[in-house]
Amino acid sequence: QVQLVESGGGLVEAGGSLRLSCVPSGRTLSNYAMGWFRQAPGNEREFVAAISRFGSGTDYADSVKGRFTISRDNAKNTVYLQMNSLKPEDTAVYYCAATNGSNARFGVDAWGKGTLVTVSL
């Protein structure tokens, strides 16, 4: 099973930006459609964004449309989540996800361990 390693989380002020990265350990990224999910304290894990294997298709939760951008560089074996105009309600642990299907929003085969994003007022 693919192992996913996230990085890039941290503390940022409201209105600021962060970029998360995810690398599959020992596997080729282009074998998977990828996604990002998040889980805030006391809440269930929720979908954030997804991208197809070669980046031709993307999908976003309504709450992040226009602010977040998912992308991938298969040559660098890395998937990204660029987060702009961050809000305190974006505070959560963000998880990278991989799927053998076409859209991680509808099924995940592997999860990363997560990276914490904290947005302060």
Side-chain angles (χ1 to χ4, degrees):
Q1 186 177 11
V2 61
Q3 292 184 331
L4 305 172
V5 180
E6 304 100 332
S7 62
L11 174 64
V12 64
E13 291 185 349
S17 298
L18 279 176
R19 187 176 77 161
L20 306 182
S21 300
C22 173
V23 177
S25 176
R27 299 294 178 99
T28 301
L29 184 68
S30 60
N31 289 341
Y32 306 95
M34 301 295 293
W36 289 94
F37 291 72
R38 67 187 181 186
Q39 186 167 17
N43 290 359
E44 293 185 353
R45 193 172 298 189
E46 64 175 5
F47 168 75
V48 174
I51 189 166
S52 58
R53 287 182 182 165
F54 297 99
S56 59
T58 56
D59 188 12
Y60 294 94
D62 288 344
S63 59
V64 306
K65 277 181 183 176
R67 300 188 299 122
F68 290 12
T69 302
I70 188 171
S71 63
R72 63 192 296 158
D73 186 337
N74 287 346
K76 294 183 178 180
N77 224 36
T78 305
V79 63
Y80 305 98
L81 184 68
Q82 178 67 43
M83 305 185 294
N84 298 330
S85 302
L86 282 161
K87 304 174 182 180
E89 51 263 44
D90 294 317
T91 295
V93 177
Y94 282 72
Y95 296 91
C96 182
T99 179
N100 293 305
S102 60
N103 189 335
R105 182 174 196 162
F106 304 113
V108 173
D109 294 299
W111 295 98
K113 293 185 178 180
T115 185
L116 177 63
V117 172
T118 303
V119 184
S120 65
L121 288 169

